[in-house]
Structures are given as structure tokens and as C-alpha cells.
Amino acid sequence: MSNLRTLVFFATPPHDCSYLPDREATTMFVDPRAHVDKKLYSQLTALGFRRSGSHYYRPHCEQCNACIPVRLKVDDFNPDRSQRRVLKKNTDLKCTMVPATFAERYYQLYANYIEQRHQDGDMYPPTREQFTSFLVEGATDSWFLEIHKDERLVGLAAVDLLDDGLSAIYTVFEPDLEDRSLGTYAILWQIEEARRRGLPHLYLGYWIKQCRKMNYKTRFRPIEALRDGHWRELDPG
């Protein structure tokens, strides 16, 4: 059984950064042969690691520390006026947590989202193999939040259950329902789910101040950032 003291880590060669132009990135990975159970996964997440399929990673760039792990303290969170409007707008939706597995309807929603909103990203063009390796493989205590409007699947959020919280992995939704702010709605739902389970945190991955696409994360307060090995409240500036 692997633990933090026995884990072996590997670093990738420098490669183009996915978030900041004209910068190179290096990523540190946990040895893929290691057995990562829920306890170890929770410890790694508290140290700033993320899961992508069966891979556990964190940025390890020598000349840059722009990627900052962030998490919410769910008991201290109160939605602001805009977030309350999102909740009110989506009272007709039904949400269900189901085990993370492949289904064609999940993939079609994912593919439509990537094709219409992220043609400039690393996940374009989408494939079934990519969906599976990213969101299904390596699942330890992993779930999909299904969001339905009537009988239509309009949103899907991948969520991992940790010892001290939930980890928001990725969310996709129908692009033609952009006015519903389903990405925000999915986070708000996960905050309440963490509270319901008595878990203190919702991990939101990395925040990069210079990356406009990540600005939404700091609209959830109070938000904590991992700096120099300690979680402290973040002032986005």
C-alpha cells in the first residue's frame, strides 16, 4: 500500500503552458504504478495535487508559481446576489449523484460542450477515449452530478469524494443554456452537498490570476489558497 513517504514522483520535460502564452510548464506526476486509495488521494489534494483520470499531478515550474491551489470553506460561504439569482433561475432543475461511468449521453454532452466552447483548448477535438481517460478511469470515490431539465440532461459535473471535502474535477453543460450559468450552479450545488455530508471543503483546482477563464473561482468567498505549504484566505486583489 502506497503512502506519502513511499511515493515516487516524476517530472515532465518543459512544455508549452496551457494557460499562459509564451511560457513553459513542467508537471510533477505521482508514479502511475502507485496504488492511490481515498486516504492518500485526500492527502495529495491537501498538498495541491489534482486528479486527471488515473494520473495525480501538480505544477512544478522552476520560473513560475502562477498556478495556485484553491478551496472553499463551505460552512463560511454565503452566496452573493448574483449567485442567489443563479439558484433562483434554476429551481426547475433536478440534480442526482451517480457513480462515474461511461455513457453515450454523457459523452455527447461533453463533446458538444468542447466543440462549441473550447476549440482552442487541449481537449479539442473530443473523443470517447479522451472522455473515459479524463473522467472515468482512475475513479476512487468518484461521481457524476447529473443536471436535468425535465427529461433532458443539460449538465454533468465530475466530483470526487475526499476525506475532508469534495473535489470539483470538471463541469460541462449545454451551450445553448449559457444564460442559466450552469457552471456556477454546479459549484453552488456541490457546496451544499459538502455541507450535507459534514465535509469542510470544496476543492476547485488551480487559480491563475492572469487567466481570465479562472476568474469565476474567486467569486466564491471565503476562498483559501495553498502557499508555502499552508492554506490561507486568498485576497484576489
Side-chain angles (χ1 to χ4, degrees), residues 62-75:
E62 290 186 5
Q63 306 299 326
C64 179
N65 57 1
C67 293
I68 301 173
V70 291
R71 70 185 185 185
L72 285 172
K73 298 174 68 175
V74 299
D75 285 341

Side-chain angles (χ1 to χ4, degrees), residues 194-210:
R195 281 177 175 162
R196 188 184 72 79
R197 293 173 179 262
L199 299 170
H201 302 121
L202 175 64
Y203 289 87
L204 292 177
Y206 301 114
W207 172 71
I208 301 174
K209 186 175 183 178
Q210 304 96 314

Side-chain angles (χ1 to χ4, degrees), residues 42-134:
S42 300
Q43 293 171 330
L44 286 167
T45 303
L47 292 172
F49 281 78
R50 295 287 286 171
R51 183 180 73 85
S52 176
S54 57
H55 299 290
Y56 300 85
Y57 70 94
R58 67 168 297 167
H60 188 64
C61 307
E62 290 186 5
Q63 306 299 326
C64 179
N65 57 1
C67 293
I68 301 173
V70 291
R71 70 185 185 185
L72 285 172
K73 298 174 68 175
V74 299
D75 285 341
D76 295 337
F77 172 78
N78 287 302
D80 62 19
R81 181 180 300 178
S82 174
Q83 291 160 351
R84 290 195 296 271
R85 284 199 298 266
V86 172
L87 290 170
K88 184 176 181 180
K89 187 182 296 185
N90 290 297
T91 54
D92 59 330
L93 300 181
K94 178 182 177 182
C95 294
T96 308
M97 288 269 276
V98 299
T101 58
F102 179 87
E104 183 63 22
R105 62 197 181 101
Y106 296 159
Y107 171 71
Q108 291 300 329
L109 180 65
Y110 170 86
N112 190 33
Y113 176 83
I114 297 298
E115 288 169 353
Q116 295 199 38
R117 292 180 62 95
H118 292 288
Q119 290 192 15
D120 60 342
D122 294 340
M123 293 182 289
Y124 183 84
T127 66
R128 290 169 180 80
E129 292 76 19
Q130 174 203 72
F131 173 89
T132 301
S133 64
F134 177 30

